[in-house]
């Protein structure tokens, strides 16, 4: 596989992953809330 093909495929996968992640949160504020909730869940699990 040529190097440019690898990087093009890797960039495409990263872009799709980012778009799916943002679509799941709907907004930047939603993303912040999701991160806060994840932090609380980790903190509870550690206690």
């Amino acid at each position: 596989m040529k190097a440019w093909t690898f990087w093009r495929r890797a960039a495409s996968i990263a872009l799709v992953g980012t778009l799916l992640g943002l679509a799941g949160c709907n907004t930047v504020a939603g993303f912040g809330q999701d991160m806060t909730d994840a932090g609380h869940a980790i903190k509870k699990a550690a206690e």
Side-chain angles (χ1 to χ4, degrees), residues 2-7 11 13-14 17 19 24-25 29-30 33 40 42 44:
K2 294 182 180 178
W4 63 270
T5 303
F6 170 76
W7 287 113
I13 291 169
L19 291 174
C25 296
Q33 184 63 43
H40 288 138
I42 292 169
K44 273 180 108 173

Side-chain angles (χ1 to χ4, degrees), residues 3-46:
W4 63 270
T5 303
F6 170 76
W7 287 113
R8 186 174 180 185
R9 184 172 292 164
S12 296
I13 291 169
L15 178 63
V16 169
T18 300
L19 291 174
L20 288 174
L22 289 175
C25 296
N26 291 326
T27 64
V28 174
F31 178 74
Q33 184 63 43
D34 289 346
M35 290 294 103
T36 300
D37 292 343
H40 288 138
I42 292 169
K43 185 177 177 183
K44 273 180 108 173

